Amino acid sequence: MHAPKPVYLAVIGTGGVGSAFLSQLSLLQQAHPQINLVLISRSTRSLTALSFSEPLSISTWSSALDRPSAQPAFTPSEILAYLEKSNTTRGKCILIDNTSNQTLASSYPSFLSRGISIVTPNKKAFSASLDLWREIESSSFPTDPYGGLIYHESSVGAGLPIISTLKDLVATGDRVHRIEGVFSGTLSFLFNNFAPVNGRGGKWSEEVRKAKALGYTEPDPRDDLNGLDVARKVVILARLAGVEVQDTSAFPVESLIPEELESCQSGDEFLSRLGEFDEEMEDVRRQAEADGKVVRYVGSIDVERGHLRVGLERLDKNHPVAGLRGSDNIVNFYTQRYGERPLIVQGAGAGAEVTAMGVTSDLIKVLQRLQ
């Protein structure tokens, strides 16, 4: 049996997801000794191996990155130049992008066209302009036989197998009619508590403050309540299903931010004033209850008509989406084979550990294909 070919990893981003990934990588390396970590970069600093034959230690990366010998953060072009400096590494390098950086995402075609594979949870690469989406496709394998591989399962559902499920449906010839679901752990938590199927929730502003205190929201909750994160995920799934949507501005995205609070100078100011608008959300809840329904924040794709929508929907209490608990995500695939009983993927759709698990799982797939 031949020894596995060495592969060289550049890991960009060491925040919550990045740190969790590096912890998982230290375990993965025991089963895959061909992994060589040659570059780590965060927003302010970078660390490179002495040479590709003398890789960085995965167990000591954090302290090493804080040493004075660490370099300033690399730009995308500097990362590419570093990975290309040895002619023997072509087809053996993998970029792990654990950031949400648009500049790096826009550089993916340059990496792929040079045979560098990419694993990432960065949804901006796949939900920005349709031109960038097409350029990524054309520069990656198999469209370009010399292009790198690209995997981004965790760009939609953290560790949930949402993208791979959709790709399998399409690849096996099933006809996808409609996709709908709850794509935000934050908004799932908020509405499961604000408008539960059984019982009664608290005031909207109280539930938002509770979610922030528990760490479910961004530092400024408006980054969750504007719906843009959900819209990006919907764009990705729509494109994978064959809908050529231009970007998130091409369809309705309902913001839950009162117009009067869009100009607040901080998240704290926003939260301090949100209670002024509780009655508006209370009306939404009352109207749903009057019809025996609950309100949820849903992303939906009508694949056959090419229509996308993100916003509030009133659902029957026995609807699969209505019965979610906690901060779970759920995606329903309505297809020709599955009929009116959809294929459902459900579970934790947010959090550093499960998102990193999705990244690590994709890395394993790339390692297997590169051997």
Side-chain angles (χ1 to χ4, degrees):
M1 184 175 180
H2 296 291
K5 301 173 184 176
V7 294
Y8 305 96
L9 267 59
V11 177
I12 314 302
T14 62
V17 173
S19 294
F21 167 75
L22 285 161
S23 294
Q24 295 177 21
L25 183 64
S26 65
L27 297 175
L28 183 66
Q29 192 180 41
Q30 297 174 23
H32 296 270
Q34 73 269 35
I35 292 174
N36 295 278
L37 181 62
V38 296
L39 185 153
I40 299 180
S41 185
R42 63 187 185 202
S43 58
T44 57
R45 315 192 84 176
S46 293
L47 187 68
T48 58
L50 292 174
S51 70
F52 277 44
S53 60
E54 299 178 80
L56 299 169
S57 168
I58 297 177
S59 61
T60 61
W61 67 267
S62 182
S63 59
L65 201 53
D66 288 329
R67 291 173 189 158
S69 57
Q71 302 160 268
F74 279 21
T75 64
S77 59
E78 289 172 332
I79 297 168
L80 180 58
Y82 176 79
L83 293 178
E84 282 198 300
K85 71 177 186 177
S86 172
N87 291 331
T88 63
T89 62
R90 182 173 177 87
K92 302 173 185 176
C93 292
I94 306 172
L95 175 72
I96 311 290
D97 175 16
N98 288 317
T99 76
S100 59
N101 185 287
Q102 181 66 67
T103 301
L104 182 54
S106 298
S107 301
Y108 285 0
S110 297
F111 288 88
L112 292 165
S113 64
R114 290 166 172 81
I116 297 170
S117 296
I118 297 173
V119 173
T120 182
N122 188 347
K123 60 183 72 68
K124 290 182 179 177
F126 314 100
S127 60
S129 71
L130 186 58
D131 286 343
L132 177 59
W133 169 271
R134 288 171 173 162
E135 196 175 354
I136 289 171
E137 280 199 323
S138 65
S139 57
S140 60
F141 185 88
T143 306
D144 180 348
Y146 299 103
L149 303 166
I150 186 160
Y151 281 81
H152 58 104
E153 182 72 76
S154 47
S155 66
V156 171
L160 294 177
I162 294 172
I163 287 178
S164 55
T165 297
L166 177 56
K167 283 186 172 182
D168 286 347
L169 290 170
V170 172
T172 58
D174 200 354
R175 185 173 180 179
V176 181
H177 300 306
R178 182 163 51 97
I179 304 168
E180 67 176 13
V182 171
F183 296 90
S184 164
T186 301
L187 293 171
S188 177
F189 178 85
L190 285 172
F191 282 97
N192 293 340
N193 286 276
F194 173 67
V197 172
N198 298 307
R200 187 170 182 81
K203 293 181 179 179
W204 176 248
S205 61
E206 293 173 352
E207 298 297 347
V208 175
R209 278 193 285 270
K210 183 196 304 180
K212 185 175 188 297
L214 291 171
Y216 285 119
T217 73
E218 295 293 333
D220 187 337
R222 287 175 294 180
D223 292 335
D224 298 293
L225 299 177
N226 62 16
L228 186 56
D229 183 67
V230 175
R232 289 190 178 111
K233 296 174 182 179
V234 167
V235 167
I236 294 170
L237 293 183
R239 288 172 172 173
L240 289 171
V243 181
E244 293 195 333
V245 57
Q246 288 296 324
D247 54 34
T248 57
S249 66
F251 56 93
V253 179
E254 184 175 2
S255 173
L256 300 180
I257 304 170
E259 186 176 346
E260 296 87 341
L261 302 187
E262 290 179 351
S263 60
C264 286
Q265 297 301 304
S266 68
D268 289 339
E269 180 187 351
F270 168 76
L271 284 175
S272 70
R273 294 190 55 196
L274 186 59
E276 300 170 21
F277 302 89
D278 277 343
E279 193 58 30
E280 294 181 12
M281 289 301 292
E282 186 60 33
D283 284 343
V284 172
R285 178 167 61 183
R286 274 196 296 260
Q287 291 170 15
E289 288 176 346
D291 293 333
K293 299 177 183 291
V294 292
V295 63
R296 296 289 184 264
Y297 196 87
V298 176
S300 59
I301 306 162
D302 184 332
V303 177
E304 296 182 327
R305 297 171 62 197
H307 289 179
L308 286 69
R309 185 183 182 280
V310 170
L312 295 176
E313 289 193 20
R314 294 187 292 178
L315 304 171
D316 291 332
K317 292 184 177 181
N318 61 357
H319 191 285
V321 169
L324 284 180
R325 294 179 180 274
S327 59
D328 275 6
N329 285 8
I330 187 171
V331 181
N332 302 326
F333 294 100
Y334 293 87
T335 77
Q336 184 172 347
R337 291 177 185 151
Y338 282 86
E340 287 304 309
R341 293 179 60 83
L343 171 58
I344 297 175
V345 179
Q346 178 179 341
E353 289 293 337
V354 292
T355 303
M357 185 275 287
V359 175
T360 304
S361 177
D362 277 350
L363 173 58
I364 292 171
K365 295 181 178 71
V366 174
L367 291 174
Q368 291 170 340
R369 294 185 65 181
L370 290 182
Q371 293 307 308

